[in-house]
Every structure is written in C-alpha cells, then in structure tokens.
Amino acid sequence: MRKTLMLAGFLLAAAPALADEKPVLTVYAPEYFAGEWGPGQKMAEGFEKTCGCDVKVVGVDVLPRILLEGDKTPADVVVGFTADVMQRAKDTGLFAPHREDLSRLTLPVAWTDDTFLPFDWSETAFVYDKTKVKNPPKSFADLLNAPDDGYKIAIEDPRTSLSGLALLLWVKSVYGDKAPEAWAKLAPKVLTVAPGWSEAYSLFTKGEADMVLSFTTSPAYHIIEEKDDTKAAAIFTEGNYFLAETAAQLKGTKHPELAQKFMDYLLSDDFQGMIGVGNWSYPAVMKPGFLPPEFAALPKAEKTLFLTPEAAEALRAPAIEEWRQAFRK
C-alpha cells in the first residue's frame, strides 16, 4: 500500500512537468543565418510566440549535412538553399511539399517550385568602395577589359560558397561557351578566392580588397548601420544574377504540423518584415513598411538573370572545371 501511494504521488508530481514539455522544432541553417548577426534567433523567437514549441536553430553547411545524414537527419526544416543547389537537394527525395500560395510572392522571376519556398532574395553584384574605385564597371565587359591592376577583387570559391556558385553561373549565363575566356580575363584581377562570403567580405571591409562579390542589397547595411555611403553595388548592363534563399520541410519530420506552420510563418508579415535589416535582402512578399527608406535608393538591375534548378545543376560541374582551369595558374 505504501509503495502504491508513493508511486501515485510520483506520477502526480511528474504530470505537470510532462505537461510543460514542448515539442522541439529543429531547423538547419547556414552559419551566417544562425549566428549572432543573422536573423535565425529572431526567427525562432517570433515563431515560438505562435507555435507552442521550442525552436532549435543549428548552424551547419546545410546541403552537405543533409546529404550525409539522409533520412536519419534530426532536422525538421532546412533554410538557406538557393535555386542553384535545389535540384541536388530535391534529388535526395527527403523533402515534402510546402503547400503555400506562391501567387503572394513578389519576386522579379517566376517561381513555381512546390517544395522549396523562397523567403528573401537579392541579386549578385560586385560591391565596391567609392573612395578607391572612381570609375566602377557598368558591365562585365568593362570589368574584364580593365587593366589587370585596375581592381583588387575578392570572390568566393564556387565549390564551398553559394555566392561563389552564383558568380560561376552568372558568368556562364552571360558568356556561355566563351566563359573560359571570361575567367581568364578576370583571374588576374582577383586578389583572393575565399572559402565563403564572410571571409571575402571581411577583406573588403578591412580595405584589403577594393571590390567584393556580394549582393545589390549589401550597401544597405553600411548606409543604415554605419552611416557610410561609400559602398555601392555595380549594376551590369548584361544583367545581375538572381539569388533567393529558400526553406523546405523534411518528409521524415516527427512534427509535420509544426513544420508546416513554420513554412506558413516564413511568409507571414512578422517574418517578412524582419528580412530587410535582419538579412539585408528583399522580402519574398513585399508590403509597405517592410523596408527602411534607404533601400529605395539602392540601384536595381534592369535585367535579372536566372537559371532553373535543373539548368543550374546541369551547368555546375563543367562550369566549376572551367573556373578551376582559370585559377590553377
């Protein structure tokens, strides 16, 4: 009898604790997104207010991690894929449809994918320091035909960086079969090939490079946060390359309803309103008040270049080899 009463007392004491336990939604995100300066924490806090759950944002190299873990991954949702790697991700068969209304999107390109949901976008650009570059290039032709000592450029490695891959496909979109010749002209102007965007941009902000591969929206950070208008993005007449960040939910998630609610949240006014100064990009769903007025002054490309995921994947390996040949010397 005593043991029965003790057991009953233990169960009663444990019941409130068990009731208080919340499901945990695990989100894989790139390091820059999950880190101190990225929007990952604010995103988690915003969703937690609506979901009755805890959100665990894990900073990883997302696609390699997913490819390694396969259907054993503990991730419920991933963020950070671009269209340039979507096909490889989709070919894993690990992802479920997002079930969102894509007619709400305000992107400069048509987006029809039912698995990978874009939540922000920008366009690839060479960002330069006005105090060092007095005559910025207005086209790829200007850049390639400039003297080799005219610019000191930092770019990212396309094998390890999504922005580097975007440059690779940007060049391929503009030059096609003549891409090897374009790389041969660009290579002498490149100060360094960094493993990722953060490393390349750091060289630029430290003054070691006077131009860096980044995005048309990057100068907004300097203008708003640093009151510095000496940084600008070069808009090219051939067009600038479109890059959107996307999210997708895993088929094997233990929390499918939460994962779907998370996808809903990504297009909510709450999260889309964070994008401008949270990730220094354009929201995927634009509404009045979502961006500070400084964004309105940013130059925009007159022509947007975009490859479908299938086309990007088909070009990736041969384009990397063309790039590698130009930089092996």
Side-chain angles (χ1 to χ4, degrees):
M1 183 69 174
R2 181 183 177 90
K3 289 182 178 179
T4 302
L5 289 173
M6 289 177 64
L7 178 59
F10 172 77
L11 292 174
L12 286 171
L18 292 172
D20 288 342
E21 288 185 5
K22 296 179 180 179
V24 177
L25 189 78
T26 299
V27 180
Y28 279 3
E31 294 285 358
Y32 71 84
F33 190 98
E36 179 182 0
W37 303 107
Q41 191 55 45
K42 287 185 178 180
M43 174 192 71
E45 292 171 357
F47 185 56
E48 285 174 346
K49 292 176 182 177
T50 69
C51 70
C53 69
D54 289 326
V55 178
K56 180 182 179 183
V57 182
V58 183
V60 295
D61 194 354
V62 181
L63 182 56
R65 184 71 166 265
I66 289 293
L67 293 175
L68 176 65
E69 294 175 345
D71 58 8
K72 300 295 192 294
T73 181
D76 299 297
V77 178
V78 299
V79 302
F81 288 150
T82 66
D84 299 335
V85 298
M86 272 170 44
Q87 192 59 48
R88 271 187 290 165
K90 186 174 287 191
D91 288 345
T92 66
L94 296 173
F95 298 97
H98 55 64
R99 294 187 287 178
E100 300 298 326
D101 176 11
L102 298 178
S103 68
R104 301 163 58 195
L105 300 178
T106 54
L107 307 178
V109 302
W111 192 277
T112 59
D113 192 86
D114 65 358
T115 302
F116 294 89
L117 181 70
F119 58 86
D120 69 11
W121 68 277
S122 189
E123 288 166 312
T124 308
F126 289 94
V127 174
Y128 61 94
D129 186 329
K130 296 178 185 178
T131 66
K132 295 182 177 182
V133 179
K134 301 300 184 183
N135 296 298
K138 295 180 174 58
S139 65
F140 254 119
D142 286 351
L143 180 64
L144 300 185
N145 293 325
D148 288 348
D149 60 355
Y151 305 117
K152 292 190 295 183
I153 307 172
I155 66 171
E156 298 87 50
D157 191 323
R159 298 166 296 186
T160 56
S161 165
L162 291 178
S163 52
L165 180 58
L167 174 60
L168 192 81
L169 297 172
W170 186 11
V171 170
K172 197 67 175 172
S173 297
V174 172
Y175 287 99
D177 292 342
K178 296 187 180 299
E181 291 92 326
W183 285 117
K185 288 184 176 182
L186 182 62
K189 303 171 180 60
V190 172
L191 174 70
T192 190
V193 177
W197 178 88
S198 296
E199 295 89 342
Y201 211 82
S202 177
L203 291 173
F204 174 67
T205 56
K206 290 177 181 177
E208 295 181 36
D210 47 36
M211 190 178 292
V212 62
L213 175 69
S214 193
F215 306 100
T216 55
T217 48
S218 298
Y221 169 80
H222 302 285
I223 296 168
I224 294 171
E225 294 294 319
E226 300 176 339
K227 311 304 178 187
D228 174 10
D229 64 357
T230 65
K231 312 300 188 294
I235 303 301
F236 283 0
T237 55
E238 299 96 340
N240 289 64
Y241 191 78
F242 175 81
L243 189 145
E245 292 185 291
T246 73
Q249 54 188 317
L250 277 297
K251 284 181 180 177
T253 174
K254 295 179 181 178
H255 309 292
E257 292 185 4
L258 271 181
Q260 182 60 53
K261 287 181 180 179
F262 180 83
M263 301 299 287
D264 298 341
Y265 175 72
L266 291 181
L267 294 189
S268 70
D269 287 1
D270 186 57
F271 183 64
Q272 288 294 297
M274 297 180 193
I275 289 297
V277 297
N279 212 32
W280 303 105
S281 301
Y282 294 114
V285 179
M286 179 68 80
K287 291 185 178 180
F290 277 7
L291 292 176
E294 290 85 352
F295 271 80
L298 296 178
K300 291 185 177 180
E302 294 185 7
K303 182 178 181 181
T304 296
L305 301 177
F306 176 59
L307 291 173
T308 66
E310 297 85 354
E313 180 59 20
L315 288 173
R316 180 178 58 86
I320 284 177
E321 181 58 24
E322 293 171 352
W323 173 89
R324 194 180 68 81
Q325 290 296 329
F327 284 91
R328 70 185 299 179
K329 301 183 177 75

